[in-house]
Amino acid sequence: MRRRGGCLIWLVIAFSVAVLFLAWQYAEFRLAHRTLSAGMTMAGLSVGGMSKEQALNALELAFATPVEVSYLDQRFVLPPESVAFRYNVEETAANLERVLRKRLGTAGFVAHMLRYPEEPIAVPVVASYSAQRLDDFLARVAAQYDRPPQPIVPLPSDLTFRSARPGSRLDFRASRERLAAALLSAADRQVALVVETEPPPPYDLSMLGLMFKFVLESHPGLVAGIFVKDLQRGDELGINADVAYSGMSVLKIAIVEEVYRVLEVPLTPEVSTWISQTMGVADSNAAANLLLARVIGNGDGYQGAENLSASMRYLGLSNTFIAAPYDEAIIPYTVVTPANARTDITTNATPGMQTTPVDIGLLLEMIYRCSRGGGALIVAYPGAFTPEECSQILEWMGQNRIDSLIEAGVPADTRVVHKHGLAGDTHADAALVFSPGGDFVLTVFLHRPQWLAWEESAPLIADIAKATYNYFNPLP
């Protein structure tokens, strides 16, 4: 009997301890749930540590905040009331109560006792908006910001161009989904609309042609021949580009090209001196004639002229020839070309040497391509040219620094290799221009019957060069 009484006492004590322990744990459990648990969210907003009232108020405040919207680099806001947004606080509070009651039940207490980690839970939030008003908002955004691709645009007043611009078009379906998600979120109220972009139209040299037309309008009676070639894309623009003009000193480019075709490098000091005098500022006709006679013509200047003309024809430059050396009065024969056989337009080109803007421009391109290891010169004359030799030709041309004509139309730090030519009624400049926006060929020939004044031709050629440079380097 005494042993039974002792066991009973111990059972009562154990039971009492268990009851006290459960009471303590329950009190701790209730105390812990006076605020919302750490893993609880409502409409994406973390409400852990808040009271029920604080959580519901935080939601109301968040839903009243406008949604920040961006269309590419444009920023604006969408006020919730503009799409009839409604936050139902009563139903949301009821949802929260149901979640809390479940967590405060027996299963929740056991989980607390066993120190199970609480699983995150998203409390359903009741809110709505007008789908029609949201679509209307997106339609207004599209009407204001959607743009078709825009081509390069000439700005004649200052001879510049506005660069081509890509197009943009709002993706309604994807943007609607993003906006709807942001409206119903209390945490993420920023939306980048989905915008499809279209690449800008390819550059079109006809826009440069419009600029040239504007520039030439104030020079009635002038016969202007212009050729431009984009050395990246291969696009060409010609204005009277296949009209015959006097070759003048511009054809010294062909003479030096032929010297390098005939000779091997390194050149002798004597030949180098003649080239420097021919291509540099000195612009010596006598030195050019020495190259024609002693290098290209095997001692005969007229034979050198004939050999050069034959080479030009072989290269496909059928309108380019020299019939007699510089300053020779005797022209042994008349050269008929497609260009000088035209009857619709004439420049009274000298019968001794002629070319066209396109011919001399294509010859410049050949030298340019050759300096980079390709092009027609290397194909037409295998083994006769190396990239180093063609680069030397460009270096010789680079000595012709006159700070006028094409040079004057481009920024001072731009590399320009060119050769100009002057006669009483015709002025010309032919150049390779190396610019940040792309390398290009520009040849300009101007003819005015009887007499062409330098005061007219020099600034006009500079303006043509400025417009061309700005086409390849448009305003952002």
Side-chain angles (χ1 to χ4, degrees), residues 36-48 55-56 59 91-100 102-103 118-126 184-187:
L36 304 181
S37 58
M40 187 174 291
T41 59
M42 300 181 73
L45 179 69
S46 176
V47 294
L56 295 171
L59 280 179
E91 291 190 28
T92 301
N95 289 339
L96 179 58
E97 282 295 337
R98 280 191 287 272
V99 169
L100 293 177
K102 183 177 180 181
R103 289 210 160 187
E118 291 189 277
E119 295 182 2
I121 186 168
V123 178
V125 173
V126 181
L184 298 174
S185 173

Side-chain angles (χ1 to χ4, degrees), residues 309-325:
S309 300
S311 180
M312 294 300 103
R313 289 193 298 272
Y314 182 66
L315 291 171
L317 309 179
S318 57
N319 293 306
T320 298
F321 67 86
I322 297 179

Side-chain angles (χ1 to χ4, degrees), residues 428-469:
D429 202 5
L432 286 166
V433 180
F434 301 80
S435 82
D439 301 340
F440 59 90
V441 171
L442 173 61
T443 62
V444 184
F445 285 75
L446 303 178
H447 169 77
R448 186 176 289 285
Q450 306 304 323
W451 180 257
L452 176 60
W454 173 260
E455 291 75 15
E456 178 182 16
S457 68
L460 177 55
I461 291 177
D463 282 349
I464 291 170
K466 179 180 180 181
T468 308
Y469 181 92

Side-chain angles (χ1 to χ4, degrees), residues 35-208:
T35 59
L36 304 181
S37 58
M40 187 174 291
T41 59
M42 300 181 73
L45 179 69
S46 176
V47 294
M50 298 183 186
S51 66
K52 291 183 295 184
E53 293 74 17
Q54 288 173 332
L56 295 171
N57 289 337
L59 280 179
E60 191 166 3
L61 179 62
F63 285 140
T65 304
V67 176
E68 297 179 14
V69 185
S70 63
Y71 179 114
L72 298 179
D73 58 347
Q74 303 295 325
R75 303 286 187 271
F76 41 92
V77 296
L78 172 63
E81 61 272 14
S82 67
V83 291
F85 182 84
R86 296 290 182 269
Y87 162 49
N88 192 321
V89 65
E90 292 80 11
E91 291 190 28
T92 301
N95 289 339
L96 179 58
E97 282 295 337
R98 280 191 287 272
V99 169
L100 293 177
R101 281 199 300 270
K102 183 177 180 181
R103 289 210 160 187
L104 288 173
T106 304
F109 179 58
V110 171
H112 174 79
M113 287 271 297
L114 298 176
R115 296 298 188 262
Y116 288 161
E118 291 189 277
E119 295 182 2
I121 186 168
V123 178
V125 173
V126 181
S128 63
Y129 60 89
S130 168
Q132 182 58 54
R133 290 195 183 184
L134 185 59
D135 285 350
D136 292 343
F137 171 78
L138 288 172
R140 291 193 298 272
V141 169
Q144 184 170 358
Y145 296 111
D146 280 3
R147 291 289 184 272
Q150 299 178 43
I152 188 170
V153 176
L155 306 172
S157 60
D158 54 0
L159 302 179
T160 58
F161 292 81
R162 192 198 67 203
S163 62
R165 298 178 178 179
S168 61
R169 185 167 59 87
L170 184 69
D171 184 326
F172 263 79
R173 181 176 180 180
S175 295
R176 184 190 299 116
E177 291 177 358
R178 289 191 178 187
L179 265 181
L183 283 167
L184 298 174
S185 173
D188 188 1
R189 307 286 286 178
Q190 296 182 334
V191 174
L193 298 179
V194 180
V195 179
E196 298 176 352
T197 58
E198 300 178 62
Y203 276 32
D204 183 353
L205 277 170
S206 65
M207 295 295 103
L208 181 58

Side-chain angles (χ1 to χ4, degrees), residues 1-11:
M1 292 292 295
R2 195 177 293 173
R3 191 174 292 173
R4 279 185 191 172
C7 290
L8 183 59
I9 292 172
W10 281 111
L11 285 173

Side-chain angles (χ1 to χ4, degrees), residues 4-21:
R4 279 185 191 172
C7 290
L8 183 59
I9 292 172
W10 281 111
L11 285 173
V12 170
I13 292 172
F15 178 76
S16 300
V17 170
V19 170
L20 289 172
F21 175 75

